[in-house]
Amino acid sequence: MHRRVLSFFVALILPFCSLFAEDDGEWFWDQPIAHIEFEGLKNVKKSDLSAITSDYIGKPFDDNVYNDILDSLYSLDMFDDIVPYAKHYSKDDTKVLLVFQVTERPVVKEINFTGNRKIRNGELRDQTKVKVSDVYVESKVLMDERIIRNYFL
């Protein structure tokens, strides 16, 4: 008896589930991009990113556009991770809303010099490229280390 009732409910519910099921997962290819959003921003301004992404609005979404956007975002050296996903645009189901979930790199809060007696800290700060509130990029810090060594020499 339990099985019949369960079977009845499954048979009743299954057609409704298919009505609400998402497309095959490939619906967004070759659809025009309506808007690009970012989730997870803390220090980076949306306006800085929209200057890069605005050129892609209205273009059909394909592999080349996808790779170009990701390359542009990663080249900023502001993010450790970028996870994109596509959604139907709320104002027009035939258009794509691209959402990028980003993990920002840490920001430099303070720069300290220790063990320094001959050169003032202000002079050393003037030599460095990395400043307070810049995004931390290890390669830039290593370059600053070389600059400071050469300055001491």
Side-chain angles (χ1 to χ4, degrees), residues 22-39 59-63 65-66 69-70 82-90 92-101:
E22 194 63 37
D23 295 15
D24 64 2
E26 303 291 322
W27 65 269
F28 46 80
W29 294 116
D30 297 321
Q31 300 300 315
I33 299 170
H35 190 65
I36 299 174
E37 292 181 354
F38 294 90
E39 295 176 351
K59 288 188 177 183
F61 185 68
D62 60 18
D63 282 333
V65 169
Y66 171 72
I69 294 172
L70 278 180
I82 302 172
V83 178
Y85 63 92
K87 294 170 55 173
H88 288 285
Y89 188 55
S90 62
D92 186 351
D93 277 353
T94 63
K95 293 185 178 181
V96 178
L97 167 64
L98 287 180
V99 181
F100 293 94
Q101 288 180 322

Side-chain angles (χ1 to χ4, degrees), residues 1 9 24 31 45 47 61 71 81 114 129 132 138-139:
M1 179 76 167
F9 280 118
D24 64 2
Q31 300 300 315
K45 295 177 185 170
S47 59
F61 185 68
D71 289 345
D81 191 29
T114 58
K129 305 288 184 219
V132 172
E138 187 173 0
S139 61

Side-chain angles (χ1 to χ4, degrees), residues 2 9 17 20 24 30 43 46 50 75 85 109 113 150:
H2 253 69
F9 280 118
C17 292
F20 298 107
D24 64 2
D30 297 321
N43 300 304
K46 287 182 184 180
S50 65
S75 70
Y85 63 92
K109 298 224 185 261
F113 300 98
N150 290 338

Side-chain angles (χ1 to χ4, degrees), residues 3 18 32 38 43 47 49 70 76 86 122 126 128 135 137 146-147:
R3 283 189 177 177
S18 65
F38 294 90
N43 300 304
S47 59
L49 300 175
L70 278 180
L76 295 173
D126 291 342
T128 61
V135 174
V137 179
R146 284 186 187 163
I147 290 170

